[in-house]
Amino acid sequence: MDARRAVPRAQAPWKEMSAEELEKQYSPSRWVVRMEPEEALRTFREKGTEATKNAQATRRCQLYVPYGDGKGDRMDIYFPDTESEALPFFLFFHGGYWQSGSKDQSAFMVNPLTTRGVAVAVVDYDVAPKGTLDHMVDQVTRSIVFIQQQYPRNEGIYLCGHSAGAHLASMMFLANWTKHGGVPNLRGFFLVSGLYDLEPIVSTSNNALLLMTLEDAWRNSPQWHLDTAPAWPADLACPILVMVGEHESPEFHRQSWEFCQPSSLPPRPCAEQDGKPHLKNCLIWITLVSLRI
């Protein structure tokens, strides 16, 4: 049996790790191969801020758009040059272990996508300690509903998140869209180096601001709730791409692999139903090879 296949929670390898090793496994900056951790974090922030300023200066955009009544309920929306009410929308949710990062450092994908006719919404949410995980999940849900309601003729809503943002995007599989007026026109998920089982985080320093209990972690771990997720419309074509960085820690690789195959079956290309990809069979797992620039 492939060692990477899903194992029962009681046998999860992290449970056998020392506190020091567990901390290292869930500290992504310590796995960067070309610079020291602090330099990696600083470079990431600087590059993201620079890209965001460039996008705001060069693309048609609406900034600080409220998607709710809270001060943190804000998003920046970037549009292609050609005006249309029928655009595909790419929603991005930043990472930062649910306690750092913002939309102001996260618009690096705007120019490549808007030049190809895609509208981009970069979403802010209340990071810890102001926001709890439950509140963040609710914000992400409401941001998607907002786009659907504001642009009902959209040609598809595509969700992308990195790290904590990938976790928040993946929680949308569990969303009860009925209470929001119906399932939005979701057409794709791009989950990059996400965490889908939060129990290991409870025992690391990353929980200092989050203050997660085991109950909080369980409730917000999509890995363990996919089998009971609300049913989606059968005709909703929604491919899901689960990605992880080449040099991420073994625990990050394990989490992505196991999330990609909740039934312990190898990932496979999207199955088709009436000529369209079918959600439950539409999981693809990819290792992203580092760009050596």
Side-chain angles (χ1 to χ4, degrees):
M1 180 176 180
D2 193 317
R4 297 174 298 180
R5 292 192 177 184
V7 296
R9 296 175 73 237
Q11 300 175 24
W14 68 268
K15 291 179 176 289
E16 305 298 324
M17 294 179 183
S18 66
E20 181 180 6
E21 179 59 24
L22 185 63
E23 184 74 21
K24 180 180 179 182
Q25 288 288 325
Y26 285 94
S27 299
S29 62
R30 295 174 65 177
W31 296 84
V32 177
V33 297
R34 291 184 292 279
M35 56 185 72
E36 294 299 314
E38 289 302 319
E39 183 185 359
L41 292 171
R42 183 176 64 255
T43 300
F44 185 84
R45 289 191 296 265
E46 290 175 352
K47 294 291 186 182
T49 300
E50 179 183 355
T52 300
K53 290 180 177 178
N54 179 62
Q56 293 176 356
T58 59
R59 308 308 298 177
R60 189 165 60 92
C61 59
Q62 297 176 6
L63 305 180
Y64 296 95
V65 177
Y67 61 84
D69 297 329
K71 291 184 177 179
D73 298 348
R74 298 292 183 270
M75 65 171 66
D76 294 339
I77 308 177
Y78 302 84
F79 299 93
D81 291 333
T82 302
E83 294 191 27
S84 172
E85 294 183 6
L87 293 169
F89 273 81
F90 181 93
L91 273 61
F92 183 75
F93 308 102
H94 67 80
Y97 256 124
W98 307 277
Q99 54 201 283
S100 65
S102 78
K103 65 179 179 58
D104 299 325
Q105 303 169 348
S106 304
F108 50 85
M109 80 298 292
V110 164
N111 284 346
L113 290 176
T114 54
T115 56
R116 288 166 173 79
V118 179
V120 178
V122 184
V123 180
D124 249 354
Y125 53 90
D126 290 318
V127 297
K130 180 180 180 180
T132 64
L133 274 173
D134 292 313
H135 179 62
M136 296 177 215
V137 171
D138 179 64
Q139 286 180 295
V140 167
T141 306
R142 289 188 287 107
S143 74
I144 298 166
V145 172
F146 174 82
I147 291 293
Q148 180 63 45
Q149 292 176 345
Q150 292 296 308
Y151 304 95
R153 294 178 57 193
N154 70 77
E155 293 187 344
I157 296 174
Y158 299 82
L159 306 186
C160 179
H162 169 245
S163 193
H167 161 264
L168 294 172
S170 71
M171 286 294 290
M172 297 304 99
F173 297 129
L174 311 181
N176 182 358
W177 297 111
T178 302
K179 72 176 185 179
H180 294 286
V183 179
N185 189 24
L186 296 175
R187 294 293 165 175
F189 284 74
F190 304 89
L191 308 177
V192 184
S193 295
L195 295 171
Y196 312 104
D197 173 13
L198 304 191
E199 185 179 351
I201 307 300
V202 175
S203 302
T204 71
S205 65
N206 295 303
N207 197 32
L209 292 179
L210 289 169
L211 300 176
M212 271 194 302
T213 64
L214 286 174
E215 182 181 352
D216 295 331
W218 169 255
R219 186 172 58 252
N220 288 286
S221 292
Q223 172 69 39
W224 305 113
H225 300 289
L226 292 177
D227 290 344
T228 59
W232 287 24
D235 63 346
L236 186 62
C238 192
I240 303 160
L241 203 59
V242 181
M243 298 164 276
V244 64
E246 177 187 13
H247 296 296
E248 301 279 13
S249 73
E251 274 294 284
F252 269 71
H253 276 253
R254 179 186 66 82
Q255 289 233 9
S256 286
W257 176 265
E258 292 187 4
F259 184 71
C260 193
Q261 46 171 352
S263 60
S264 295
L265 295 175
R268 53 194 181 276
C270 299
E272 289 194 349
Q273 179 172 299
D274 297 327
K276 295 181 179 180
H278 190 241
L279 175 66
K280 291 183 179 179
N281 294 318
C282 205
L283 290 165
I284 302 174
W285 182 80
I286 294 176
T287 299
L288 295 177
V289 176
S290 296
L291 298 178
R292 302 186 181 276
I293 301 175

